[in-house]
Amino acid sequence: MIGEHPVVGKTRDFVGTPFSTELAGLVAGSLEALNANDAARTALGDAPAAIRDSIQAVFAASDFVAQSCARDAQCFTSLIGGGDLQRRLAAEDFAARAPPLPPDPATPEAHFQGELRRWRRRELTRIAWRDLAGWADLGETLADLTAFADTAIATALARARRALVARYGEPRSAGGEVQPLVVIGMGKLGGGELNFSSDVDLVLLFPEHGETDGPHGVANEEFFTRLGQALVRLLETPTSEGFVLRVDLRLRPFGDSGPLVASFASFEDYLPRHGRDRAMGATGSGTRTSKPAR
């Protein structure tokens, strides 16, 4: 019993494995943590039967899901209350669910890191629960993980660029055109086949050299290098709430020894001379290009 609702009943016996006693204890502990929170207990008690019936098997199969729900009651209650566990999302839905940019560009980076990590916990809990409960096939799971990663990269990039523009101004070409950062996803991300343990392989490019138009202007290459560094920090830096994505930039021209970002011209020159066969062979699945960050 959880509260007044006969939700999950007695923890089932997990037999046939040497870890069955330990596993049963972990599941029971997670359920007890939910029971101790009034909002979580009420949400689960009011949840559809399919969710109540699936919770033990899902918690047993994924320590990440069990711990995410037990430690973050808001994550759990929002998934239940919003009906997210039993509906399929389109790729564009992830953008609508991502954390909004803070109104003040000077808001500390650590604040937005926390927002991104809490959002990641909710989205990955949803995706994993649907997968483990048998409500999503493999194609949907891979597509959701890829859509989440695409949105996380775009959201982090927008925040990082906004902060840098406030400091240095917009990067512009010699002709005065605002320059975007183009993020190319390679490998599993590029092929739309990202899984739960995948890194994201990225190549960062900008169209033309020039300078930013602020009172403390810098060269475009410096601006976009700082932007790439901020993007990686927002996604990858481990905090008490985890990380968002592991980022691998080694497929860029000249790998670790090359600059973090490259202009279109230098990238076009690099591919036929040094890198096309190596880069495409290393990525395996394909490439995809983000919407340019402006």
Side-chain angles (χ1 to χ4, degrees), residues 190-234:
E193 299 175 348
L194 208 67
N195 60 49
F196 285 101
S197 61
S198 296
D199 296 346
V200 290
D201 297 302
L202 304 179
V203 175
L204 309 179
L205 305 175
F206 63 96
E208 298 181 46
H209 289 278
E211 294 184 351
T212 62
D213 61 7
H216 305 289
V218 296
N220 285 356
E221 185 170 8
E222 180 179 347
F223 178 91
F224 288 118
T225 296
R226 290 175 180 266
L227 181 54
Q229 292 168 339
L231 172 65
V232 172
R233 286 197 307 271
L234 284 167

Side-chain angles (χ1 to χ4, degrees), residues 26-60:
L26 291 173
V27 173
S30 297
L31 294 174
E32 288 173 3
L34 291 178
N35 184 53
N37 183 279
D38 291 342
R41 183 174 63 248
T42 300
L44 187 55
D46 294 337
I51 293 176
R52 301 197 304 270
D53 292 343
S54 69
I55 190 169
Q56 288 189 40
V58 170
F59 279 16

Side-chain angles (χ1 to χ4, degrees), residues 13-253:
D13 293 327
F14 296 97
V15 296
T17 169
F19 305 104
S20 58
T21 300
E22 180 182 1
L23 185 57
L26 291 173
V27 173
S30 297
L31 294 174
E32 288 173 3
L34 291 178
N35 184 53
N37 183 279
D38 291 342
R41 183 174 63 248
T42 300
L44 187 55
D46 294 337
I51 293 176
R52 301 197 304 270
D53 292 343
S54 69
I55 190 169
Q56 288 189 40
V58 170
F59 279 16
S62 173
D63 182 62
F64 169 78
V65 173
Q67 293 300 315
S68 294
C69 293
R71 294 175 180 175
D72 187 350
Q74 185 176 1
C75 169
F76 179 77
T77 56
S78 65
L79 287 171
I80 301 293
D84 289 347
L85 293 176
Q86 291 189 292
R87 68 186 180 98
R88 184 169 186 163
L89 297 181
E92 56 269 20
D93 292 332
F94 286 88
R97 297 156 62 90
L101 297 183
D104 183 0
T107 299
E109 188 173 89
H111 173 81
F112 201 62
Q113 283 181 334
E115 293 289 329
L116 285 172
R117 282 148 183 75
R118 287 186 288 275
W119 169 62
R120 181 242 190 199
R121 182 187 304 128
R122 173 177 171 171
E123 295 297 357
L124 265 61
T125 297
R126 173 195 162 274
I127 295 169
W129 194 311
R130 286 181 54 77
D131 178 40
L132 294 169
W135 301 335
D137 60 21
L138 179 61
E140 178 185 331
T141 299
L142 297 180
D144 276 2
L145 289 168
T146 301
F148 162 75
D150 281 342
T151 304
I153 292 166
T155 303
L157 194 58
R159 190 278 169 195
R161 180 173 182 121
R162 188 171 176 226
L164 286 172
V165 167
R167 183 175 180 181
Y168 298 112
E170 289 281 6
R172 296 185 181 273
S173 68
E177 295 180 349
V178 174
Q179 299 293 287
L181 181 69
V182 177
V183 180
I184 301 178
M186 312 287 275
K188 293 184 185 302
L189 176 62
E193 299 175 348
L194 208 67
N195 60 49
F196 285 101
S197 61
S198 296
D199 296 346
V200 290
D201 297 302
L202 304 179
V203 175
L204 309 179
L205 305 175
F206 63 96
E208 298 181 46
H209 289 278
E211 294 184 351
T212 62
D213 61 7
H216 305 289
V218 296
N220 285 356
E221 185 170 8
E222 180 179 347
F223 178 91
F224 288 118
T225 296
R226 290 175 180 266
L227 181 54
Q229 292 168 339
L231 172 65
V232 172
R233 286 197 307 271
L234 284 167
L235 295 176
E236 191 174 73
T237 300
T239 72
S240 61
E241 298 192 78
F243 64 97
V244 182
L245 295 166
R246 290 185 297 268
V247 181
D248 191 338
L249 299 174
R250 291 175 296 176
L251 290 177
R252 68 186 187 270

